[in-house]
């Protein structure tokens, strides 16, 4: 017998920029863990029937404990391997602490994390057991827009784990910001960006802009069950490193990850025919 979901509590995601959207995406809630308004955004945490614990910011799903490892491994490790020996890393956004967890699997000297909203960090410590206590980590609660501009030729890897263009993040999704990221990288530096689903119009624009800023540009994809539309994309850029030529296979020694492997690295870099960065 089919269950009528209307009688139960469901969450439905707001589709950005899709005013006349004829579809939606949602999941059944077991328990509403938290709902508050910080100075910058609405923060909600749900325990769900299918995806475990879910973090939602301004109506957009950020992660689910069931499959966040796929997203965070794909966002972080390709860039760390593309660089080969990253010592100074910047995480932009990422207040849930999960990209940070992946970065710290590498022998880095220093990790800066800049998230505008200290409340996201606070609730992630409490409800997702995220750990920010490593001595190499420095947290800044500032707007990434002004923060990144202060650095030139400094970071080996920059990981951009920002919310989609919601009100608080929207000024970081443009060519000016991408150029600031490029300038903050060392010559052999590599930047990584969460870059939306394959076929979302705003994500197509993001990838097009990024590919115009970075001389070397590459997209990888992975299916993240708790994100709507289609496969999710992770975009990588560098001034000097030809990403297609790096032999990432050699870097995996000592790394035992749950999703990302040499085979996944190469397979995830193959795009469908309709996909075009330019
Ligand atoms: N996995 C995510 C996704 O799918 O979009 C991103 C996760 S992470 C929680 C996004 C973080 O970006 C949030 O904690 C938010 O506070 C931060 N953020 C948004 N706008 C920002 C800005 N202008 N400067 C710094 N951090 C920002």
């Amino acid at each position: 017998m089919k269950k009528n979901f209307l009688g139960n509590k469901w969450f439905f995601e707001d589709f950005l920029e899709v005013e006349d959207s004829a579809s939606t995406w949602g999941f059944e809630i077991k328990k509403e863990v938290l709902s508050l308004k910080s100075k910058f955004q609405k923060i909600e945490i749900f325990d769900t029937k299918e995806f475990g614990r879910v973090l939602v910011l301004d109506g957009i799903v950020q992660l689910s404990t069931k499959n966040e490892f796929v997203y965070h491994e794909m966002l972080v490790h390709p860039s760390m391997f593309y660089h080969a020996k990253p010592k100074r890393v910047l995480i932009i956004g990422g207040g849930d602490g999960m990209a940070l967890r992946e970065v710290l699997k590498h022998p880095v000297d220093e990790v800066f994390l800049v998230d505008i909203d200290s409340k996201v960090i606070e609730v992630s410590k409490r409800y997702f057991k995220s750990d920010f206590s490593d001595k190499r980590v420095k947290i800044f609660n500032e707007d990434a827009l002004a923060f990144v501009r202060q650095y030139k030729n400094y970071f080996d890897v920059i990981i951009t784990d920002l919310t989609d263009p919601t009100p608080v993040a929207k000024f970081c999704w443009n060519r000016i910001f991408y150029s600031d990221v490029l300038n903050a990288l060392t010559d052999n530096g590599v930047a990584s960006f969460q870059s939306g689903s394959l076929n979302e119009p705003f994500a197509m624009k993001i990838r097009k802009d990024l590919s115009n800023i970075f001389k070397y540009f590459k997209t990888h994809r992975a299916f993240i069950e708790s994100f709507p539309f289609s496969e999710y994309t992770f975009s990588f850029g560098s001034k000097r490193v030809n990403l297609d030529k790096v032999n990432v296979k050699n870097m995996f020694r000592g790394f035992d990850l749950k999703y990302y492997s040499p085979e996944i690295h190469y397979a995830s870099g193959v795009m469908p025919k309709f996909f075009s960065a330019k």
Side-chain angles (χ1 to χ4, degrees):
M1 195 173 74
K2 278 197 182 147
K3 204 157 119 195
N4 178 355
F5 67 75
L6 294 175
N8 302 318
K9 277 203 166 157
W10 277 65
F11 166 84
F12 291 104
E13 180 162 287
D14 294 335
F15 282 2
L16 280 177
E17 294 186 357
V18 194
E19 263 177 37
D20 299 322
S21 175
S23 62
T24 186
W25 155 245
F27 43 74
E28 193 172 339
I29 296 169
K30 266 205 309 206
K31 186 174 155 207
E32 285 168 288
V33 177
L34 173 117
S35 175
L36 59 83
K37 250 189 137 58
S38 74
K39 202 171 138 199
F40 302 99
Q41 56 208 333
K42 185 171 182 196
I43 305 177
E44 294 167 286
I45 298 176
F46 303 110
D47 282 340
T48 71
K49 275 209 165 155
E50 201 169 329
F51 297 112
R53 190 158 279 184
V54 172
L55 173 67
V56 176
L57 296 180
D58 276 347
I60 311 287
V61 175
Q62 304 294 304
L63 63 93
S64 83
T65 51
K66 184 179 178 197
N67 52 43
E68 59 78 12
F69 68 95
V70 180
Y71 173 98
H72 292 104
E73 287 186 11
M74 287 302 292
L75 179 70
V76 171
H77 299 292
S79 51
M80 303 296 277
F81 288 163
Y82 277 140
H83 181 280
K85 253 191 170 169
K87 291 294 170 197
R88 290 174 176 165
V89 178
L90 170 65
I91 299 172
I92 300 176
D96 52 60
M98 299 185 192
L100 176 64
R101 178 196 66 213
E102 296 304 317
V103 167
L104 290 173
K105 292 178 180 172
H106 296 258
V108 293
D109 290 344
E110 171 176 77
V111 189
F112 289 178
L113 185 149
V114 57
D115 193 302
I116 198 166
D117 198 345
S118 61
K119 204 76 192 166
V120 176
I121 295 178
E122 190 187 313
V123 304
S124 299
K125 282 183 187 163
R126 172 142 189 222
Y127 296 102
F128 293 97
K129 305 273 174 275
S130 298
D131 184 2
F132 298 84
S133 65
D134 191 290
K135 284 199 176 65
R136 292 167 294 172
V137 178
K138 231 175 157 179
I139 309 283
F140 300 85
N141 292 129
E142 293 173 35
D143 191 333
L145 202 59
F147 183 89
V148 173
R149 206 160 286 163
Q150 302 171 85
Y151 291 87
K152 303 277 176 261
N153 207 16
Y154 189 82
F155 297 104
D156 300 317
V157 166
I158 299 180
I159 290 161
T160 305
D161 189 20
L162 282 166
T163 341
D164 291 355
T166 56
V168 66
K170 68 178 177 208
F171 299 110
C172 297
W173 290 105
N174 58 52
R175 287 180 186 214
I176 298 169
F177 184 71
Y178 308 149
S179 301
D180 290 341
V181 169
L182 179 91
N183 292 333
L185 284 173
T186 50
D187 286 345
N188 288 326
V190 178
S192 142
F193 296 80
Q194 76 92 343
S195 51
S197 294
L198 264 183
N199 54 357
E200 279 172 293
F202 84 85
M204 288 183 193
K205 168 142 185 1
I206 289 167
R207 293 188 297 263
K208 185 173 170 207
D209 288 346
L210 286 171
S211 69
N212 285 323
I213 300 286
F214 289 90
K215 177 166 184 208
Y216 297 103
F217 177 79
K218 177 126 190 101
T219 301
H220 289 263
R221 63 195 165 113
F223 181 63
I224 319 280
E225 263 178 289
S226 46
F227 288 168
F229 293 119
S230 69
E231 282 177 294
Y232 214 70
T233 67
F234 304 89
S235 295
F236 301 88
S238 181
K239 313 177 212 186
R240 282 255 190 100
V241 180
N242 185 340
L243 306 177
D244 277 316
K245 297 242 161 88
V246 179
N247 185 348
V248 165
K249 212 170 175 174
N250 292 340
M251 318 280 188
F252 274 82
R253 245 168 291 143
F255 275 88
D256 186 17
L257 303 168
K258 279 204 274 185
Y259 182 81
Y260 181 58
S261 65
E263 292 73 20
I264 289 283
H265 178 88
Y266 293 107
S268 66
V270 178
M271 291 295 128
K273 262 174 91 181
F274 72 79
F275 177 89
S276 156
K278 300 265 175 197

